[in-house]
Amino acid sequence: MSLLNRLSICSKLCYAIGGAPYQITGSALGFFLQIYLLDVAQIDAFYASIILFVGRAWDGITDPTVGFLVSRSPWTRFGRMLPWIVLSTPLAVICYFLIFYVPPFEDGKVVWYLFFYCAFQTLQTCFHVPYSALTMFISSEQAERDSATAYRMTIEVLGAVLGTAIQGQIVGMANAPCIPGQCLTVYANIKFTVCLTCRFVVSLQKTAYMIASGVICLVYILCAIVLFFGVREQKEFCRVGSEPISFFQGIKLVMGHGPYVKLVIGFLFTSLAFMLLEGNFALFCTYTLGFRNDFQNILLVIMFSATLAIPFWQWFLTRFGKKTAAYCGTLTAVPSMIVVVVFKSNLIMTYFVSFFAGMGVASAYLMSWSMLPDVVDDFKLENPKSTGHEAIFYSFYVFFSKFSSGISLGISTLSLHFAGYITRGCSQPEAVNITLRVLVSFAPIALMIIGLVVLYFYPIDEKRRQRNRERLREQWEMEDSETDSAELAAII
């Protein structure tokens, strides 16, 4: 391995820190946006499901669009990916903050949240798609990219822990009381019966969400600064692409590569499973298990466990292969999902099974992004004259991930609406509890099984991956030799 291709630990850390904003905001939105819209902003469950689904669907549409635009972007002295990251950051943090601000009007609240949610998703896409594609431009060596990806996944899971901790602990200090029935203190001079205590605490909770979002926005900016100044986008690996292609040609290009399609479909189902678990776990802990004041700590245990498990899964994939690691990691979470819904509610047991569930979450984070560069390398070898399309592959990969998230959030919130969800109620109808049990256990398990069946047919095993690595290295050496010969001839 040449020194040019070798990455320093500092470079890997700076690159990894750039992945934190996506996970910090993603975990905060994934775990808390649904319960925030229902219980704090007090949006009807039906309209909340529309906001969540449309926002994620819009986010999915922007991914391939941004990926196409990034692939057509010219090279600058800062690189081709980094300018997208820097320019999108300020507007993204503004939109994120306004998502957790309750406007002083009722009629337009649904439009408010839908607009800023979609705007934030678009701007975050302008950050995350170039950042994801940057993996291919920090080194040409698979081993170095895999190592950088492991650093990235560790920091991203830490980012998810940080987002869960910031949002959960700050908001948890201002938990609004549930409404058991009629309020005790009544305003006599207004139209509706209002509990003064409830109004006061809900006001504190609104403030807590704003403080938490402000802290997350600050961390988002700091991470973007570290990425920009700490990572050098290697022009040597950012080769001149083939002739520009249209958007639909780009779709045909990526969807025509069999290993990519199998990988995307497999992780589409497993991602959908984990998204269902993530999006409904706060409500499940609050209402079904009855841990209203502890759910933020339970979420923290899951993410902390995932952080600890990343190095283990990185060792596991290097020892037994990525495909085997994907199977074992996904199946690790299944027993926890069964235990938490079958046995009687117990706080200690819930913490225990949450710790093991975090190991499955870690595998889902690491495996999907660790296997994607292998598919891109495989495509390069099969299509040596079609280059410069890395951003398209990554953008469609992100698109399917977010598409699964939108489906999970929309369907689950709509299911709660039809089950009779009561906003800020101390208890929920039995139909709601049954729905939550299905959404955090039985449905995710079924989706995981489907995803693993698809991954069984994924053709890039360790033998093929190693063969591709050797062929790419020979290709690089040949091209470097041709370049040197051309330069020598020009001098003569």
Side-chain angles (χ1 to χ4, degrees), residues 31-32 35 277-287 295 299:
F31 282 125
F32 294 96
I35 198 170
L277 177 65
E278 177 185 276
N280 295 280
F281 200 71
L283 290 171
F284 176 73
C285 291
T286 300
Y287 294 111
F295 76 86
L299 298 180

Side-chain angles (χ1 to χ4, degrees), residues 285-302:
C285 291
T286 300
Y287 294 111
T288 305
L289 298 183
F291 303 141
R292 176 178 294 273
N293 297 319
D294 298 284
F295 76 86
Q296 66 270 18
N297 298 322
I298 296 172
L299 298 180
L300 202 55
V301 168
I302 293 176

Side-chain angles (χ1 to χ4, degrees), residues 77-117:
R77 66 190 186 96
F78 301 109
R80 186 150 59 105
M81 307 297 166
L82 291 174
W84 282 83
I85 293 169
V86 173
L87 295 176
S88 65
T89 295
L91 294 175
V93 296
I94 293 173
C95 291
Y96 180 82
F97 181 80
L98 292 175
I99 290 174
F100 289 102
Y101 171 75
V102 180
F105 48 79
E106 289 294 327
D107 292 340
K109 281 203 298 187
V110 174
V111 176
W112 172 282
Y113 289 115
L114 184 59
F115 174 79
F116 285 110
Y117 188 39

Side-chain angles (χ1 to χ4, degrees), residues 313-329:
W313 288 121
Q314 176 63 19
W315 168 84
F316 192 96
L317 70 86
T318 57
R319 178 68 177 82
F320 300 101
K322 296 182 181 181
K323 195 170 177 180
T324 303
Y327 267 87
C328 296

Side-chain angles (χ1 to χ4, degrees), residues 340-355:
V340 79
V341 300
V342 170
F343 291 93
K344 187 177 180 181
S345 174
N346 181 283
L347 184 58
I348 301 298
M349 184 185 69
T350 302
Y351 278 119
F352 183 75
V353 298
S354 296
F355 183 85

Side-chain angles (χ1 to χ4, degrees), residues 153-201:
M153 291 301 105
T154 302
I155 297 297
E156 286 198 5
V157 176
L158 279 173
V161 172
L162 186 60
T164 305
I166 292 172
Q167 197 84 7
Q169 299 303 314
I170 294 177
V171 170
M173 292 187 294
N175 270 332
C178 57
I179 303 176
Q182 293 183 343
C183 293
L184 300 177
T185 309
V186 177
Y187 256 156
N189 296 325
I190 59 177
K191 185 176 181 180
F192 299 102
T193 299
V194 179
C195 174
L196 291 178
T197 304
C198 292
R199 291 186 64 197
F200 176 71
V201 179

